[in-house]
């Protein structure tokens, strides 16, 4: 029975025994995006427009309104259309009041579970195989927030900052000052789900209040009327609603708005 030769191997000529050298290459999975992204609410429509046209976009509102999903779909579209060359993902290294260090593994392995929120958006926008290929080749790269000091995002890229309400003021300042000529930022979060100690101000609120007046910065405020996840999510949020919401945003410029309302200045 003849032995099969891997077509990616090439024989080495000479008198020595036959050896095969395997070419080191990364197979590229074709992109298979789902149907074109369509806004499900007026707020999502404003959010999509801002992501395409603004240097920095704040997406502020409750869980279930599509902040991360829409951001991943828009970034996927830009990458496939060569409007950007790379996508960066980051998130504060604190979750549910626990430091990320309690997880085992490398920093990227620690971050991976927290980036999973973008998975559905990238799978729909790129196709699962192409998404995994772009992760392996680092065209989509995870950048832990606390490892970002000293670098800048200069190439055409989209930087997605998820759960930004859990960043500190210093972390948000550091993140904002990393932006370069070619980069766009999407910063999303829900001030009412901040896991920072009560005496620590959220970087999301502080950063928004300090730079939202700039012409190249847009802020889209989502409300519970914009929830597109299971209808039970809104009922759960209503059940948990209490006076804490007033404490969180009473000193901020972030105000409840009509669906799709864009704040600029």
């Amino acid at each position: 029975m003849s032995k099969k030769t891997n077509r990616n191997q090439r024989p080495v000529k000479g008198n020595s025994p036959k050896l095969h050298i395997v070419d080191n290459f990364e197979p590229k999975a074709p992109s298979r995006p789902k149907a074109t992204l369509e806004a499900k609410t007026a707020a999502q429509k404003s959010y999509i427009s801002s992501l395409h046209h603004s240097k920095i976009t704040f997406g502020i509102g409750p869980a279930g309104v599509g902040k991360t999903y829409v951001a991943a779909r828009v970034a996927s579209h830009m990458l496939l259309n060569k409007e950007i060359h790379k996508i960066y993902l980051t998130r504060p290294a604190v979750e549910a009041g626990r430091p990320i260090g309690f997880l085992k593994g490398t920093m990227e392995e620690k971050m991976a579970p927290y980036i999973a929120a973008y998975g559905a958006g990238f799978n729909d926008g790129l196709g699962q195989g192409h998404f995994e290929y772009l992760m392996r080749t680092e065209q989509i790269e995870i950048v832990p927030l606390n490892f970002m000091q000293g670098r800048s995002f200069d190439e055409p890229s989209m930087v997605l900052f998820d759960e930004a309400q859990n960043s500190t003021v210093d972390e948000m300042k550091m993140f904002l000052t990393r932006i370069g000529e070619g980069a766009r930022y999407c910063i999303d979060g829900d001030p009412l789900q901040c896991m920072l100690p009560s005496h620590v101000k959220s970087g999301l609120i502080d950063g928004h209040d300090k730079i939202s007046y700039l012409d190249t910065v847009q802020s889209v405020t989502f409300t519970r009327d914009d929830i597109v996840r299971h209808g039970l999510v809104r009922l759960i949020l209503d059940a948990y609603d209490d006076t804490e919401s007033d404490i969180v945003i009473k000193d901020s410029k972030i105000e409840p708005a009509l669906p799709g309302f864009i704040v600029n200045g």
Side-chain angles (χ1 to χ4, degrees):
M1 183 180 295
S2 61
K3 293 185 178 180
K4 293 182 178 180
T5 301
N6 190 318
R7 64 180 180 179
N8 297 319
Q9 297 177 333
R10 61 178 185 273
V12 178
K13 295 180 180 180
N15 297 324
S16 59
K18 289 185 177 180
L19 300 175
H20 293 88
I21 298 174
V22 179
D23 292 327
N24 185 17
F25 77 104
E26 181 67 49
K28 181 177 180 180
S31 60
R32 292 189 174 89
K34 288 190 175 180
T36 303
L37 174 66
E38 293 185 3
K40 294 184 178 181
T41 64
Q44 282 194 6
K45 184 176 181 180
S46 296
Y47 192 46
I48 293 169
S49 176
S50 181
L51 289 170
H52 277 290
H53 299 108
S54 301
K55 189 74 171 174
I56 298 176
T57 297
F58 285 94
I60 299 172
V65 297
K67 299 187 300 293
T68 55
Y69 178 85
V70 169
R73 287 296 305 269
V74 171
S76 298
H77 174 82
M78 289 181 172
L79 191 63
L80 292 177
N81 285 276
K82 303 186 185 304
E83 297 174 45
I84 58 174
H85 300 160
K86 193 161 183 173
I87 298 171
Y88 293 97
L89 309 177
T90 193
R91 198 167 182 169
V94 173
E95 201 61 33
R98 303 180 70 182
I100 199 170
F102 80 89
L103 289 175
K104 296 180 180 179
T106 65
M107 182 56 69
E108 288 195 358
E109 290 170 338
K110 293 172 188 286
M111 290 293 290
Y114 302 126
I115 306 301
Y118 288 111
F122 285 128
N123 285 335
D124 288 352
L126 300 166
Q128 183 176 347
H130 195 57
F131 171 40
E132 293 173 355
Y133 164 78
L134 294 174
M135 287 290 292
R136 289 195 302 272
T137 58
E138 296 188 342
Q139 287 175 265
I140 298 178
E141 181 182 351
I142 297 172
V143 184
L145 187 63
N146 50 347
F147 278 64
M148 203 175 286
Q149 189 75 267
R151 72 180 298 170
S152 62
F153 301 106
D154 296 312
E155 74 272 48
S157 58
M158 175 70 84
V159 187
L160 307 181
F161 187 3
D162 192 31
E163 300 289 346
Q165 76 275 0
N166 291 326
S167 65
T168 65
V169 171
D170 287 341
E171 286 173 336
M172 180 59 73
K173 178 183 177 182
M174 181 272 296
F175 172 75
L176 290 172
T177 55
R178 302 304 98 195
I179 194 167
E181 184 66 29
R184 295 174 185 267
Y185 276 7
C186 173
I187 305 169
D188 71 62
D190 178 3
L192 303 185
Q193 293 191 21
C194 182
M195 300 298 178
L196 295 172
S198 58
H199 64 280
V200 178
K201 186 175 183 180
S202 169
L204 173 64
I205 292 176
D206 185 76
H208 172 274
D209 289 353
K210 281 185 167 64
I211 71 169
S212 60
Y213 72 93
L214 298 173
D215 291 339
T216 54
V217 177
Q218 299 285 356
S219 177
V220 180
T221 302
F222 295 86
T223 71
R224 291 182 187 177
D225 291 334
D226 298 308
I227 292 175
V228 294
R229 202 178 290 167
H230 195 286
L232 187 58
V233 173
R234 178 170 179 174
L235 297 178
I236 292 171
L237 290 175
D238 288 341
Y240 275 88
D241 192 18
D242 55 34
T243 56
E244 290 183 3
S245 60
D246 296 328
I247 297 173
V248 172
I249 64 175
K250 67 178 182 179
D251 295 324
S252 172
K253 298 177 184 176
I254 301 172
E255 298 178 356
L258 294 174
F261 182 75
I262 294 184
V263 178
N264 184 5

PDB file of all heavy atoms in Angstrom, residues 1 16 29 46 60 66 81 88 114 159 164 197 211 219 221 229 235 259 263:
ATOM      1  N   MET A   1       0.853  -1.198   0.000  1.00  0.00           N
ATOM      2  CA  MET A   1       0.000   0.000   0.000  1.00  0.00           C
ATOM      3  C   MET A   1       0.883   1.240   0.000  1.00  0.00           C
ATOM      4  O   MET A   1       1.786   1.375   0.815  1.00  0.00           O
ATOM      5  CB  MET A   1      -0.905   0.001   1.246  1.00  0.00           C
ATOM      6  CG  MET A   1      -1.871   1.188   1.281  1.00  0.00           C
ATOM      7  SD  MET A   1      -2.905   1.147   2.760  1.00  0.00           S
ATOM      8  CE  MET A   1      -3.846  -0.340   2.450  1.00  0.00           C
ATOM      9  N   SER A  16      20.323  11.287   0.836  1.00  0.00           N
ATOM     10  CA  SER A  16      19.889  10.973   2.192  1.00  0.00           C
ATOM     11  C   SER A  16      18.493  10.395   2.173  1.00  0.00           C
ATOM     12  O   SER A  16      17.768  10.534   1.189  1.00  0.00           O
ATOM     13  CB  SER A  16      19.934  12.237   3.045  1.00  0.00           C
ATOM     14  OG  SER A  16      19.092  13.202   2.481  1.00  0.00           O
ATOM     15  N   ALA A  29      -9.287  31.008   6.737  1.00  0.00           N
ATOM     16  CA  ALA A  29     -10.693  30.642   6.551  1.00  0.00           C
ATOM     17  C   ALA A  29     -11.422  31.794   5.880  1.00  0.00           C
ATOM     18  O   ALA A  29     -11.203  32.952   6.226  1.00  0.00           O
ATOM     19  CB  ALA A  29     -11.334  30.336   7.908  1.00  0.00           C
ATOM     20  N   SER A  46     -28.391  55.265  15.786  1.00  0.00           N
ATOM     21  CA  SER A  46     -27.499  56.374  16.117  1.00  0.00           C
ATOM     22  C   SER A  46     -26.112  55.859  16.493  1.00  0.00           C
ATOM     23  O   SER A  46     -25.086  56.457  16.141  1.00  0.00           O
ATOM     24  CB  SER A  46     -28.076  57.185  17.275  1.00  0.00           C
ATOM     25  OG  SER A  46     -29.291  57.790  16.914  1.00  0.00           O
ATOM     26  N   ILE A  60     -23.664  54.145  26.245  1.00  0.00           N
ATOM     27  CA  ILE A  60     -23.970  54.076  27.678  1.00  0.00           C
ATOM     28  C   ILE A  60     -25.406  53.619  27.878  1.00  0.00           C
ATOM     29  O   ILE A  60     -26.338  54.212  27.314  1.00  0.00           O
ATOM     30  CB  ILE A  60     -23.741  55.446  28.344  1.00  0.00           C
ATOM     31  CG1 ILE A  60     -22.278  55.847  28.200  1.00  0.00           C
ATOM     32  CG2 ILE A  60     -24.150  55.417  29.818  1.00  0.00           C
ATOM     33  CD1 ILE A  60     -21.966  57.254  28.655  1.00  0.00           C
ATOM     34  N   GLY A  66     -27.526  45.780  23.093  1.00  0.00           N
ATOM     35  CA  GLY A  66     -26.724  45.512  21.913  1.00  0.00           C
ATOM     36  C   GLY A  66     -25.454  46.326  21.792  1.00  0.00           C
ATOM     37  O   GLY A  66     -24.896  46.421  20.699  1.00  0.00           O
ATOM     38  N   ASN A  81     -13.941  45.512   4.860  1.00  0.00           N
ATOM     39  CA  ASN A  81     -13.916  46.512   3.794  1.00  0.00           C
ATOM     40  C   ASN A  81     -12.622  47.328   3.777  1.00  0.00           C
ATOM     41  O   ASN A  81     -12.532  48.330   3.075  1.00  0.00           O
ATOM     42  CB  ASN A  81     -15.127  47.445   3.925  1.00  0.00           C
ATOM     43  CG  ASN A  81     -16.413  46.788   3.477  1.00  0.00           C
ATOM     44  OD1 ASN A  81     -16.741  46.773   2.288  1.00  0.00           O
ATOM     45  ND2 ASN A  81     -17.150  46.212   4.425  1.00  0.00           N
ATOM     46  N   TYR A  88      -8.774  45.933  18.215  1.00  0.00           N
ATOM     47  CA  TYR A  88      -8.250  45.675  19.549  1.00  0.00           C
ATOM     48  C   TYR A  88      -9.420  45.548  20.522  1.00  0.00           C
ATOM     49  O   TYR A  88     -10.405  46.286  20.429  1.00  0.00           O
ATOM     50  CB  TYR A  88      -7.352  46.824  20.020  1.00  0.00           C
ATOM     51  CG  TYR A  88      -6.069  46.983  19.236  1.00  0.00           C
ATOM     52  CD1 TYR A  88      -5.980  47.908  18.193  1.00  0.00           C
ATOM     53  CD2 TYR A  88      -4.945  46.227  19.547  1.00  0.00           C
ATOM     54  CE1 TYR A  88      -4.808  48.072  17.474  1.00  0.00           C
ATOM     55  CE2 TYR A  88      -3.761  46.398  18.835  1.00  0.00           C
ATOM     56  CZ  TYR A  88      -3.705  47.305  17.803  1.00  0.00           C
ATOM     57  OH  TYR A  88      -2.536  47.469  17.092  1.00  0.00           O
ATOM     58  N   TYR A 114     -13.683  37.268  29.458  1.00  0.00           N
ATOM     59  CA  TYR A 114     -14.349  38.556  29.522  1.00  0.00           C
ATOM     60  C   TYR A 114     -14.588  39.159  28.135  1.00  0.00           C
ATOM     61  O   TYR A 114     -15.419  40.041  27.967  1.00  0.00           O
ATOM     62  CB  TYR A 114     -13.529  39.524  30.386  1.00  0.00           C
ATOM     63  CG  TYR A 114     -13.300  39.012  31.780  1.00  0.00           C
ATOM     64  CD1 TYR A 114     -12.022  38.915  32.311  1.00  0.00           C
ATOM     65  CD2 TYR A 114     -14.367  38.592  32.559  1.00  0.00           C
ATOM     66  CE1 TYR A 114     -11.817  38.422  33.594  1.00  0.00           C
ATOM     67  CE2 TYR A 114     -14.168  38.098  33.837  1.00  0.00           C
ATOM     68  CZ  TYR A 114     -12.893  38.025  34.349  1.00  0.00           C
ATOM     69  OH  TYR A 114     -12.702  37.532  35.606  1.00  0.00           O
ATOM     70  N   VAL A 159     -10.719  50.227  18.389  1.00  0.00           N
ATOM     71  CA  VAL A 159     -10.428  49.741  19.737  1.00  0.00           C
ATOM     72  C   VAL A 159     -11.743  49.682  20.507  1.00  0.00           C
ATOM     73  O   VAL A 159     -12.399  50.714  20.706  1.00  0.00           O
ATOM     74  CB  VAL A 159      -9.419  50.658  20.464  1.00  0.00           C
ATOM     75  CG1 VAL A 159      -9.012  50.028  21.797  1.00  0.00           C
ATOM     76  CG2 VAL A 159      -8.186  50.904  19.593  1.00  0.00           C
ATOM     77  N   ALA A 164     -16.648  49.530  30.510  1.00  0.00           N
ATOM     78  CA  ALA A 164     -15.776  50.636  30.911  1.00  0.00           C
ATOM     79  C   ALA A 164     -16.173  51.257  32.242  1.00  0.00           C
ATOM     80  O   ALA A 164     -15.386  52.002  32.834  1.00  0.00           O
ATOM     81  CB  ALA A 164     -15.769  51.714  29.826  1.00  0.00           C
ATOM     82  N   PRO A 197     -15.170  49.958  44.182  1.00  0.00           N
ATOM     83  CA  PRO A 197     -15.574  50.349  45.540  1.00  0.00           C
ATOM     84  C   PRO A 197     -16.361  51.645  45.513  1.00  0.00           C
ATOM     85  O   PRO A 197     -16.146  52.504  44.642  1.00  0.00           O
ATOM     86  CB  PRO A 197     -14.230  50.515  46.265  1.00  0.00           C
ATOM     87  CG  PRO A 197     -13.272  49.637  45.506  1.00  0.00           C
ATOM     88  CD  PRO A 197     -13.723  49.701  44.074  1.00  0.00           C
ATOM     89  N   ILE A 211     -14.776  64.857  28.144  1.00  0.00           N
ATOM     90  CA  ILE A 211     -14.466  65.023  26.715  1.00  0.00           C
ATOM     91  C   ILE A 211     -15.683  64.981  25.795  1.00  0.00           C
ATOM     92  O   ILE A 211     -15.530  65.138  24.574  1.00  0.00           O
ATOM     93  CB  ILE A 211     -13.444  63.971  26.234  1.00  0.00           C
ATOM     94  CG1 ILE A 211     -14.079  62.572  26.180  1.00  0.00           C
ATOM     95  CG2 ILE A 211     -12.203  63.971  27.109  1.00  0.00           C
ATOM     96  CD1 ILE A 211     -13.201  61.549  25.471  1.00  0.00           C
ATOM     97  N   SER A 219     -21.758  60.586  22.121  1.00  0.00           N
ATOM     98  CA  SER A 219     -22.252  59.714  23.183  1.00  0.00           C
ATOM     99  C   SER A 219     -23.689  59.325  22.875  1.00  0.00           C
ATOM    100  O   SER A 219     -24.537  60.192  22.667  1.00  0.00           O
ATOM    101  CB  SER A 219     -22.176  60.439  24.539  1.00  0.00           C
ATOM    102  OG  SER A 219     -22.716  59.623  25.559  1.00  0.00           O
ATOM    103  N   THR A 221     -26.927  57.398  24.351  1.00  0.00           N
ATOM    104  CA  THR A 221     -27.525  56.903  25.586  1.00  0.00           C
ATOM    105  C   THR A 221     -28.661  55.932  25.273  1.00  0.00           C
ATOM    106  O   THR A 221     -29.604  56.279  24.571  1.00  0.00           O
ATOM    107  CB  THR A 221     -28.075  58.067  26.437  1.00  0.00           C
ATOM    108  OG1 THR A 221     -27.016  58.988  26.722  1.00  0.00           O
ATOM    109  CG2 THR A 221     -28.656  57.549  27.742  1.00  0.00           C
ATOM    110  N   ARG A 229     -32.539  42.051  23.971  1.00  0.00           N
ATOM    111  CA  ARG A 229     -32.383  40.698  24.475  1.00  0.00           C
ATOM    112  C   ARG A 229     -33.749  40.232  24.947  1.00  0.00           C
ATOM    113  O   ARG A 229     -34.736  40.934  24.825  1.00  0.00           O
ATOM    114  CB  ARG A 229     -31.340  40.686  25.608  1.00  0.00           C
ATOM    115  CG  ARG A 229     -30.687  39.327  25.871  1.00  0.00           C
ATOM    116  CD  ARG A 229     -29.641  39.440  26.958  1.00  0.00           C
ATOM    117  NE  ARG A 229     -28.467  40.200  26.516  1.00  0.00           N
ATOM    118  CZ  ARG A 229     -27.544  40.645  27.340  1.00  0.00           C
ATOM    119  NH1 ARG A 229     -27.644  40.457  28.644  1.00  0.00           N
ATOM    120  NH2 ARG A 229     -26.504  41.324  26.865  1.00  0.00           N
ATOM    121  N   LEU A 235     -37.657  43.056  32.703  1.00  0.00           N
ATOM    122  CA  LEU A 235     -38.413  42.795  33.925  1.00  0.00           C
ATOM    123  C   LEU A 235     -37.475  42.574  35.102  1.00  0.00           C
ATOM    124  O   LEU A 235     -37.747  43.023  36.223  1.00  0.00           O
ATOM    125  CB  LEU A 235     -39.320  41.576  33.727  1.00  0.00           C
ATOM    126  CG  LEU A 235     -40.415  41.716  32.662  1.00  0.00           C
ATOM    127  CD1 LEU A 235     -41.199  40.419  32.536  1.00  0.00           C
ATOM    128  CD2 LEU A 235     -41.349  42.880  33.006  1.00  0.00           C
ATOM    129  N   PRO A 259     -34.704  57.270  23.113  1.00  0.00           N
ATOM    130  CA  PRO A 259     -33.944  56.285  22.349  1.00  0.00           C
ATOM    131  C   PRO A 259     -33.247  56.934  21.164  1.00  0.00           C
ATOM    132  O   PRO A 259     -33.862  57.660  20.378  1.00  0.00           O
ATOM    133  CB  PRO A 259     -35.011  55.278  21.899  1.00  0.00           C
ATOM    134  CG  PRO A 259     -36.092  55.402  22.933  1.00  0.00           C
ATOM    135  CD  PRO A 259     -36.097  56.855  23.321  1.00  0.00           C
ATOM    136  N   VAL A 263     -25.629  62.707  22.551  1.00  0.00           N
ATOM    137  CA  VAL A 263     -25.124  63.833  23.315  1.00  0.00           C
ATOM    138  C   VAL A 263     -23.788  64.253  22.740  1.00  0.00           C
ATOM    139  O   VAL A 263     -22.900  63.433  22.549  1.00  0.00           O
ATOM    140  CB  VAL A 263     -24.953  63.452  24.809  1.00  0.00           C
ATOM    141  CG1 VAL A 263     -24.378  64.617  25.575  1.00  0.00           C
ATOM    142  CG2 VAL A 263     -26.283  63.022  25.400  1.00  0.00           C
TER     143      VAL A 263
END
